[in-house]
Amino acid sequence: MLRITLSAQASSGAWGEQALLSYKEDGADIHFSGDFPLRRIQQAARQLQSQGATSVSLDGEGWNYERQWAFYCGFAATMTPVAIKWASIDEDELELLNARRRSTDWVRQVVNATPEDMYPEKLANDAIEFLSFVAGDKIRYEMLVGDQLLENGWIGTHSVGRASSRPPVMLTLDYNPTGDDNAPVSACLVGKGITFDSGGYSLKSSAGMVTMKCDMGGAATVTAALGYAIEQGLNQRVKLILCCAENMVAGNAYKLGDVLTYKNGLTVEVVNTDAEGRLVLADGLIAASETKTPLIIDAATLTGAALMALGTDYNAIFGLDKPLLMKAQELSELVNEPAWPLPLEKWHQSNCPSHYADTANSRTQKGGGMGGASNAAAFLSRFVDNETSSWIHFDLAACFRDNADGRWAAGATGLGVANIAALLL
């Protein structure tokens, strides 16, 4: 193993005073002094991985929990397995590192999988397998597949997924450590699980479609967050609802101009089949509201508008409960997964009008027009019982990198997992 140590001193002249790394016979020093030390550590780890290192030992002084996690984020690779021997720290923090890595590695595995290999039923079954490993017999689940969705009133997920040869799925998983069937549900997690998004008849370009295996990042993130919270001792009942589909083009695909009538009676005109994520999430939010839970958290790779607003370093968060929104942001800073609130008020619900239904699913403008991320969040808010439940929406701008950069390998990042787990805890 390559031995990696930390140095608060600048590197020697031979390596350059601004160098992140200097090398010695048995390994390398990371020079992390200056502004944003965690970013510098992550950048150094990324450099090491890019240079071919796949097995490292973190040694010496200064390797606290946050610094070791920053190193892992940079060292994790898209395709190559990597090995890290953590530095000696408090046993509880060591267990936390291992639990966080298990959850994040699972997100990377399922999000980075090819769309041929990761389809709705596979995603649901992988989520069941992962949480069964973590929680054992404390979980139960129900899967509705294909036309079973229609029989149960889940029109959004069925409509989006019906054109695929691989049927849409709604997974409802119940984590109940109390063993009491009458125990209240303390929180519901809802995830967008679009395992491939062609855009439907609002067809994406090749450049816009090539990474759309990541469009189930919301489902992966909330699943991993639940697993991570369980490993940290979550002792309250939580339900996980994954709305999974492939958004494809075929003769039986849903079309622009269709009107969907949801289980709560709300009617939606489809004006853009590439605004499909909100259509499946609507089912999940209705189901979550039916539990009368005090907390609903949804996560989705929902809009390009969030990316345009925040880039790929922050997840966007939205909510009508302002104290909950501020709490989520505080926790994001605590776990080093930056999140930033974008505007959402009740009046945003009127920004996608329809002549033929209660609302449209978008606006007939490129990208949904100005304020697209807020308008999408407002659409979702229509399907939450805001009298009973506090609700927060994560638009996961930071959960995937189309290409490698100075801190991340290409593919899933896992950003959002610890933030959502902290909200559950």
Side-chain angles (χ1 to χ4, degrees):
M1 283 188 158
L2 196 65
R3 182 171 175 266
I4 309 299
T5 52
L6 288 176
S7 173
Q9 306 300 317
S11 60
S12 67
W15 303 101
E17 290 185 3
Q18 301 302 315
L20 292 169
L21 290 164
S22 61
Y23 299 87
K24 47 197 177 185
E25 283 188 9
D26 62 344
D29 284 329
I30 295 176
H31 301 275
F32 68 98
S33 61
D35 295 335
F36 309 111
L38 295 181
R39 288 177 71 94
R40 288 179 64 84
I41 290 169
Q42 186 176 346
Q43 287 170 337
R46 181 78 196 120
Q47 283 188 23
L48 287 165
Q49 202 281 322
S50 299
Q51 291 164 6
T54 59
S55 181
V56 298
S57 172
L58 307 183
D59 291 330
E61 300 296 322
W63 281 113
N64 60 22
Y65 170 87
E66 289 80 8
R67 291 170 183 174
Q68 294 195 71
W69 184 252
F71 184 92
Y72 163 79
C73 289
F75 196 60
T78 305
M79 295 179 63
T80 307
V82 296
I84 300 177
K85 181 182 178 183
W86 304 116
S88 297
I89 53 173
D90 177 86
E91 187 172 332
D92 289 340
E93 290 189 332
L94 186 60
E95 289 184 5
L96 190 63
L97 274 173
N98 285 326
R100 191 168 181 179
R101 181 177 179 181
R102 275 191 291 273
S103 292
T104 304
D105 282 352
W106 185 82
V107 170
R108 289 178 183 274
Q109 174 189 327
V110 297
V111 174
N112 291 348
T114 70
E116 178 63 24
D117 294 333
M118 188 56 60
Y119 48 92
E121 286 184 272
K122 180 69 162 58
L123 175 58
N125 283 317
D126 280 6
I128 293 165
E129 182 180 355
F130 170 69
L131 291 172
S132 296
F133 173 80
V134 172
D137 61 1
K138 295 187 173 87
I139 66 165
R140 291 181 295 180
Y141 59 87
E142 177 188 46
M143 279 177 59
L144 299 175
V145 182
D147 287 345
Q148 290 177 334
L149 292 164
L150 275 186
E151 295 164 11
N152 286 269
W154 305 122
I155 186 70
T157 306
H158 184 272
S159 295
V160 171
R162 73 189 187 207
S164 174
S165 61
R166 302 193 284 192
V169 172
M170 180 185 279
L171 169 67
T172 303
L173 185 144
D174 186 359
Y175 168 69
N176 188 4
T178 70
D180 178 4
D181 289 343
N182 297 314
V185 178
S186 67
C188 270
L189 300 171
V190 181
K192 172 188 171 184
I194 303 297
T195 55
F196 184 71
D197 182 17
S198 71
Y201 277 108
S202 303
L203 196 66
K204 293 179 181 288
S205 66
S206 292
M209 201 188 301
V210 69
T211 57
M212 280 300 103
K213 62 183 181 181
C214 81
D215 218 14
M216 37 67 68
T221 298
V222 290
T223 302
L226 177 56
Y228 184 43
I230 292 168
E231 292 216 61
Q232 292 180 78
L234 179 68
N235 59 9
Q236 294 180 304
R237 188 177 188 182
V238 174
K239 286 196 173 184
L240 172 75
I241 302 168
L242 304 185
C243 305
C244 309
E246 287 184 329
N247 186 22
M248 304 293 277
V249 179
N252 65 332
Y254 78 122
K255 297 170 287 296
L256 286 81
D258 282 351
V259 173
L260 309 183
T261 301
Y262 277 85
K263 196 173 182 180
N264 65 352
L266 198 72
T267 57
V268 176
E269 182 189 4
V270 178
V271 300
N272 186 344
T273 61
D274 196 21
E276 84 298 329
R278 63 201 74 179
L279 297 177
V280 304
L281 283 175
D283 285 337
L285 292 171
I286 293 170
S289 294
E290 288 176 350
T291 71
K292 305 300 182 184
T293 180
L295 176 63
I296 297 174
I297 304 169
D298 82 70
T301 49
L302 200 65
T303 68
L307 277 165
M308 293 298 292
L310 300 179
T312 55
D313 287 320
Y314 287 78
N315 287 323
I317 50 176
F318 300 83
L320 297 170
D321 182 335
K322 305 306 181 187
L324 175 61
L325 199 63
M326 294 304 103
K327 183 65 174 176
Q329 187 179 21
E330 289 172 10
L331 291 172
S332 79
E333 294 173 359
L334 185 66
V335 299
N336 296 309
E337 291 186 349
W340 199 261
L342 290 180
L344 179 62
E345 302 293 346
K346 288 278 285 187
W347 53 261
H348 280 102
Q349 292 181 352
S350 64
N351 283 0
C352 295
S354 167
H355 296 298
Y356 307 102
D358 296 321
T359 185
N361 72 324
S362 185
R363 303 181 74 174
T364 53
Q365 301 171 22
K366 184 177 181 180
M370 292 185 290
S374 295
N375 295 340
F379 177 91
L380 297 179
S381 74
R382 289 174 173 269
F383 298 89
V384 178
D385 183 350
N386 289 287
E387 299 299 317
T388 302
S389 305
S390 291
W391 161 73
I392 186 167
H393 161 56
F394 282 74
D395 197 332
L396 297 171
C399 84
F400 190 84
R401 293 294 196 278
D402 289 354
N403 298 290
D405 59 25
R407 293 194 300 131
W408 298 96
T413 65
L415 290 175
V417 170
N419 195 176
I420 294 172
L423 278 169
L424 291 178
L425 293 162

